[in-house]
Amino acid sequence: MSSMIVPLNDLGRYTALKSVHLAAEATKVLESGHYVLGNHVSSFERAFAEYCGVNHCIGVANGTDALELALRGCGIEAGDGVLVCANAAMYATTAVLAIGAIPVFADIDAHGLMTTATLTAAIANANVPLRAVVVTHLYGRLASMSQIMETARTNNLRVVEDCAQAHGARTPEGRVAGSWGDAAAFSFYPTKNLGAIGDAGAVLSNDDEVEMRVRQLRQYGWTRKYHNAIAGGRNSRLDELQAAFLSTLLPDLDSRNDRRRGIAREYSSRIVHSAIKVPMAIDCSFVAHLYVVHTAGRSSLASHLAESGIATDVHYPTPDYRQPVFGTRFAEVSLPMTEMACAQALTLPCFPELTDQECEMVIDACNTWEPA
Ligand SMILES: *Cc1c(COP(=O)(O)O)cnc(C)c1O
């Protein structure tokens, strides 16, 4: 069978359910005569800050800009060392490079996350002055933020959380992703747990100074209209349409995260193949943005699933420090857990509108795989 029947994701299923509401929001924006950084943006900023339990939210154009502006807002400049993990798709590294800062790579744990141990090891090995760390809550799983904050403070590092995959992930006590760091970056790219109908992003911060700087940086670096007093500015504004859509979709975030977790729980309890390692601890600290298993037989499993009509993908295949853009710049960097994850990770379909029947097909197909 060559045509896929279970998609990795299908955004149209959710949009179809919301189309009446989205169209009504679009009409309001059209009639308002105000299309960029207006009332819809301010009201989404307030709603999302409140949802995350953080003082300030600044809407920006996308998640990568959010990372860059968050770092700049924290005072990171060209030449500063910034610790990042290398097992995503260059997001944090791209933001660091855009500033002219220097990425310093830390390894990960079995969940794909930075820990105090991997952070401490990276700090010990670094040969540039370190100013900040970007902590990525990869796949929608909260990193151990209170411990990481302690290590970061001890080493005088500013902390930016990358929450682009972790909207609404929280501790059992209810503390939400994005509320620990000096700043946090969110993407609302359509596939994210809270997604716009186009590109959008935000920076969150409890720090008034970071907030002010990011508001200035997102609009040319104006400290007031037509007055540029700070460096590093650009145009990275959020538009009214996307903000209106996001405000309409935000109230669904928790229930859709619950559904994602429900699928993940089914998979993790019922995929019982000895050669497939499934993620454990499916609780409120995990919002199942991506459901990623690990296996030494990745290409064989992916082919078997494809033959069963199930789409898969690899998040992510190449460590940042091995990307061709770097040539031999990081040739001496080698992080064993990162490299194992890049070699073994395979993403299964997991999105809120996946049906129970599709979920069963995925479980059956995994359990009937015969590794080559
Ligand atoms: C998607 C993503 C980003 C980048 O967001 P864009 O809006 O695509 O720029 C950054 N970090 C992570 C972890 C992401 O998943």
Side-chain angles (χ1 to χ4, degrees):
M1 198 186 308
S2 65
S3 72
M4 296 290 171
I5 30 188
V6 182
L8 194 69
N9 202 341
D10 182 354
L11 299 176
R13 294 185 192 181
Y14 179 52
T15 318
L17 295 173
K18 305 302 288 186
S19 65
V20 172
H21 304 275
L22 295 171
E25 289 304 314
T27 302
K28 275 191 234 163
V29 171
L30 291 175
E31 288 172 354
S32 76
H34 201 149
Y35 306 123
V36 176
L37 293 189
N39 293 334
H40 289 93
V41 169
S42 327
S43 96
F44 174 69
E45 288 177 341
R46 277 193 303 276
F48 196 62
E50 189 179 326
Y51 175 87
C52 296
V54 173
N55 292 344
H56 308 294
C57 171
I58 307 103
V60 299
N62 58 64
T64 311
D65 281 4
L67 283 166
E68 180 190 336
L69 295 180
L71 286 166
R72 288 188 190 275
C74 290
I76 304 312
E77 297 175 344
D80 292 341
V82 180
L83 294 137
V84 296
C85 283
N87 60 323
M90 285 286 285
Y91 307 116
T93 301
T94 299
V96 170
L97 294 172
I99 299 172
I102 301 161
V104 177
F105 299 104
D107 210 356
I108 53 172
D109 67 2
H111 289 298
L113 304 177
M114 182 186 286
T115 65
T116 39
T118 68
L119 176 59
T120 304
I123 292 170
N125 290 333
N127 50 14
V128 293
L130 299 171
R131 294 282 319 283
V133 53
V134 178
V135 184
T136 302
H137 304 300
L138 198 73
Y139 306 148
R141 188 178 292 281
L142 271 186
S144 300
M145 284 311 298
S146 43
Q147 292 168 21
I148 289 176
M149 289 305 295
E150 237 179 82
T151 306
R153 293 305 181 226
T154 310
N155 291 278
N156 283 316
L157 300 171
R158 304 300 306 263
V159 177
V160 170
E161 294 176 71
D162 181 349
C163 303
Q165 302 190 354
H167 316 67
R170 66 196 70 204
T171 63
E173 298 73 39
R175 189 156 177 188
V176 179
S179 64
W180 281 269
D182 295 295
F186 283 82
S187 166
F188 307 112
Y189 182 74
T191 60
K192 309 298 187 186
N193 290 38
L194 177 60
I197 313 296
D199 275 312
V203 176
L204 262 59
S205 182
N206 280 318
D207 183 321
D208 297 349
E209 203 151 312
V210 172
E211 185 224 0
M212 186 183 68
R213 248 189 312 233
V214 173
R215 282 196 191 285
Q216 294 167 347
L217 291 169
R218 78 170 168 184
Q219 184 149 252
Y220 317 124
W222 283 348
T223 49
R224 57 174 196 272
K225 211 169 182 187
Y226 313 138
H227 184 84
N228 296 61
I230 60 168
R234 56 149 76 222
N235 171 8
S236 183
R237 291 177 298 226
L238 181 59
D239 67 71
E240 289 283 286
L241 266 179
Q242 298 309 334
F245 292 150
L246 288 166
S247 292
T248 302
L249 301 179
L250 177 58
D252 293 351
L253 175 59
D254 285 338
S255 60
R256 294 182 82 235
N257 280 347
D258 282 342
R259 171 64 184 158
R260 286 175 183 273
R261 260 192 299 267
I263 295 166
R265 231 174 252 126
E266 284 294 300
Y267 284 172
S268 286
S269 59
R270 295 180 47 214
I271 295 174
V272 291
H273 199 297
S274 61
I276 303 175
K277 195 165 156 275
V278 295
M280 301 309 287
I282 316 286
D283 56 25
C284 59
S285 68
F286 179 56
V287 292
H289 172 65
L290 293 172
Y291 185 88
V292 175
V293 300
H294 288 85
T295 175
R298 175 166 71 194
S299 56
S300 163
L301 177 58
S303 310
H304 172 74
L305 292 175
E307 281 160 19
S308 314
I310 294 159
T312 61
D313 201 352
V314 173
H315 297 92
Y316 295 89
T318 310
D320 290 3
Y321 53 81
R322 289 285 178 270
Q323 290 287 353
V325 64
F326 290 124
T328 58
R329 176 171 169 192
F330 295 113
E332 82 293 354
V333 177
S334 178
L335 302 172
M337 290 292 286
T338 298
E339 282 159 37
M340 191 161 77
C342 289
Q344 300 200 344
L346 186 70
T347 306
L348 305 183
C350 181
F351 59 99
E353 295 73 31
L354 192 74
T355 65
D356 289 345
Q357 192 193 356
E358 288 172 322
C359 198
E360 293 299 321
M361 286 177 62
V362 174
I363 294 166
D364 286 348
C366 287
N367 287 334
T368 57
W369 171 47
E370 290 172 21

